[in-house]
């Protein structure tokens, strides 16, 4: 079998054996690659057309009780500048975002115990009240099922929790003892059962990651059938134990985006900020490899440089409006249009939009 035949099989059946995946991940030529991206685009056009869904990202706290070895917000990083946004500041971000055409808000933070369940529910309900036609996505880490249920009942629609890696040894390599892959997967399962549109995902080329790990991740994702998959290259942060590790590559990230589009055709797939950070055209190339979502930053300008997951993060000096119109221009330049829509998963479009 040639790589082209492997890609064709993936395109036609969404499945490929481990050896086939391994060869695709390690031996593709430029020509194979172009064919892979063309197939991924075709699938994406069939499901979501040329629309690009926008999510307004609000990074509301840089305080974290966890100590993940890769992340600049880890609690042991004494150089990190910490901040918290008030409810009023968050609402002001969503008001600005609404004016700019955003119909999804992603509230992301470190795992900050200051924001109790009551506080989160109160913020979610307040956004819903002001903007009932918007979807709310939470990305605030590992919680109990009861907490997830409470946020959902308060009006949250979606939840992003990257599993980071599905291999237990690799998970241990990236995280201290207190964090386990079992709990991470438990969270994802609870979230899905509650009724959220759920996103999992990984960092590409994270320290210790092998091709076998990636194949395991692809299987995990295909079994789990998430509504969203967030992937971006690992990028070292200077104040973490992984400061001297190599950053992930554009090419590996693009290959994976396209393979995920073929394996889970209806998935919502963002071209991430990390991808835009390692290459000035990263997000455009991500969209051309099958991605259909972008997440411009809506956080207040004065806190942006403090939400530093990794070094060199882009879009830290711009106003929300600049990011939004910059993305619109970039997408138009490659033949796609940014739409003013909640951008729900195709199977969830008429379910929780009432
Ligand atoms: N506390 C939340 C949000 C974490 S930040 C949670 O636990 O889900 C969101 C994502 O950024 C993480 O899931 C991780 O995959 C990514 N990230 C963190 N550090 C990174 C780094 N150094 N390079 C690239 N991505 C990183």
């Amino acid at each position: 079998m040639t790589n082209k035949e492997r890609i064709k099989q993936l395109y036609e059946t969404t499945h490929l054996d481990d050896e086939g995946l391994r060869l695709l991940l390690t031996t593709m030529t430029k020509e194979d690659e172009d064919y892979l991206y063309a197939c991924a685009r075709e699938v994406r056009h069939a499901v979501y057309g040329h629309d690009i869904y926008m999510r307004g990202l609000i990074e509301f706290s840089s305080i974290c009780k966890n100590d993940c070895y890769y992340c600049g917000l880890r609690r042991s990083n004494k150089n990190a500048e910490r901040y918290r946004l008030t409810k009023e500041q968050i609402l002001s971000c969503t008001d600005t975002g609404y004016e700019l055409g955003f119909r999804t808000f992603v509230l992301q933070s470190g795992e900050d115990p200051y924001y109790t369940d009551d506080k989160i529910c109160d913020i979610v309900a307040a956004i819903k009240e002001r903007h009932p036609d918007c979807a709310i996505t939470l990305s605030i880490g590992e919680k109990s099922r009861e907490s997830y249920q409470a946020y959902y009942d308060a009006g949250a629609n979606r939840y992003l929790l990257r599993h980071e890696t599905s291999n237990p040894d690799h998970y241990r390599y990236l995280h201290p003892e207190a964090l386990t892959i079992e709990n991470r997967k438990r969270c994802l399962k609870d979230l899905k059962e509650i009724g959220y549109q759920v996103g999992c995902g990984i960092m590409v080329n994270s320290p210790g990651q092998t091709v076998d790990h990636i194949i395991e991740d692809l299987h995990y994702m295909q079994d789990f059938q998430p509504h969203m998959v967030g992937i971006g290259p690992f990028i070292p942060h200077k104040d973490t134990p992984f400061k001297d590790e190599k950053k992930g590559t554009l090419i590996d990230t693009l290959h994976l985006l396209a393979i995920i589009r073929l394996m889970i055709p209806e998935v919502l797939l963002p071209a991430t900020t990390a991808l835009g950070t390692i290459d000035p055209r990263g997000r455009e190339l991500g969209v051309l490899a099958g991605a259909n979502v972008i997440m411009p930053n809506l956080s207040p300008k004065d806190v942006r440089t403090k939400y530093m997951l990794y070094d060199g993060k882009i879009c830290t000096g711009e106003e929300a409006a600049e990011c939004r119109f910059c993305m619109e221009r970039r997408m138009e330049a490659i033949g796609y249009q940014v739409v003013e829509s909640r951008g729900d998963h195709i199977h969830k479009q008429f379910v929780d939009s009432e």
Side-chain angles (χ1 to χ4, degrees), residues 70-71 108-109 141 161-162 164 184 203 233-235 309-310:
Y70 46 84
C71 183
Q108 192 180 79
S109 68
L161 186 76
R162 291 188 180 178
E164 315 296 358
R184 201 89 180 161
M203 290 175 289
F234 161 78
I235 304 172
L309 307 171
Y310 46 81

Side-chain angles (χ1 to χ4, degrees), residues 63-64 66 68-73 108-112 138-142 159-164 184 201-204 230-237 240 242 274 307-311:
I63 297 175
C64 193
N66 290 336
C68 308
Y69 303 135
Y70 46 84
C71 183
L73 303 187
Q108 192 180 79
S109 68
E111 288 201 17
D112 180 354
L138 294 176
S139 179
I140 59 177
E142 298 178 20
Y159 206 102
L160 297 181
L161 186 76
R162 291 188 180 178
H163 64 288
E164 315 296 358
R184 201 89 180 161
I202 62 170
M203 290 175 289
V204 181
I231 67 162
F234 161 78
I235 304 172
H237 185 290
T240 64
F242 289 152
Y307 198 84
M308 276 297 176
L309 307 171
Y310 46 81
D311 291 336

Side-chain angles (χ1 to χ4, degrees), residues 6 10 14-27 163-167 170 185 202-205 208-224 256 259-260 263-264:
R6 292 186 186 100
L10 205 50
T14 74
H15 282 90
L16 189 64
D17 62 18
D18 286 3
E19 198 46 30
L21 287 171
R22 184 187 326 282
L23 288 162
L24 281 192
L25 291 167
T26 52
T27 69
H163 64 288
E164 315 296 358
T165 173
S166 44
N167 179 278
H170 187 221
K185 287 186 176 170
I202 62 170
M203 290 175 289
V204 181
N205 306 129
Q209 186 182 60
T210 64
V211 176
D212 285 326
H213 293 150
I214 295 178
I215 294 171
E216 236 179 287
D217 286 320
L218 290 171
H219 287 310
Y220 169 71
M221 293 193 267
Q222 201 166 33
D223 288 346
F224 181 64
L256 263 181
I259 290 172
I260 291 168
M263 289 180 80
I264 316 173

Side-chain angles (χ1 to χ4, degrees), residues 117-224:
D117 288 354
D118 283 349
K119 286 203 178 80
I120 295 290
C121 289
D122 182 47
I123 293 167
V124 167
I127 299 173
K128 268 279 148 145
E129 197 183 310
R130 286 156 95 113
H131 307 296
D133 52 338
C134 292
I136 301 180
T137 306
L138 294 176
S139 179
I140 59 177
E142 298 178 20
K143 307 277 177 180
S144 67
R145 184 174 179 126
E146 293 68 41
S147 300
Y148 289 147
Q149 185 70 55
Y151 312 150
Y152 189 79
D153 295 341
N157 310 96
R158 310 184 187 137
Y159 206 102
L160 297 181
L161 186 76
R162 291 188 180 178
H163 64 288
E164 315 296 358
T165 173
S166 44
N167 179 278
D169 295 331
H170 187 221
Y171 198 88
R172 179 57 55 246
Y173 191 80
L174 297 177
H175 305 93
E177 288 285 319
L179 298 168
T180 64
I181 183 61
E182 288 76 26
N183 196 48
R184 201 89 180 161
K185 287 186 176 170
R186 189 274 304 161
C187 290
L188 285 162
K189 191 162 163 286
D190 282 347
L191 288 161
K192 200 169 184 206
E193 283 171 8
I194 289 168
Y196 284 95
Q197 296 177 51
V198 181
C200 62
I202 62 170
M203 290 175 289
V204 181
N205 306 129
S206 62
Q209 186 182 60
T210 64
V211 176
D212 285 326
H213 293 150
I214 295 178
I215 294 171
E216 236 179 287
D217 286 320
L218 290 171
H219 287 310
Y220 169 71
M221 293 193 267
Q222 201 166 33
D223 288 346
F224 181 64

Side-chain angles (χ1 to χ4, degrees), residues 29 39 66 85 92 155 168 194 196 220 252 290 299 326 336 348-349:
T29 62
C39 288
N66 290 336
L85 298 186
S92 149
I194 289 168
Y196 284 95
Y220 169 71
D252 284 352
S299 309
C326 162
Y336 291 84
K348 287 275 197 175
Q349 281 178 359

Side-chain angles (χ1 to χ4, degrees), residues 31-45:
E31 219 172 286
D32 296 333
E33 225 174 67
D34 289 342
Y35 182 62
L36 172 69
Y37 300 154
C39 288
R41 283 198 298 273
E42 207 162 298
V43 169
R44 168 264 153 80
H45 295 155

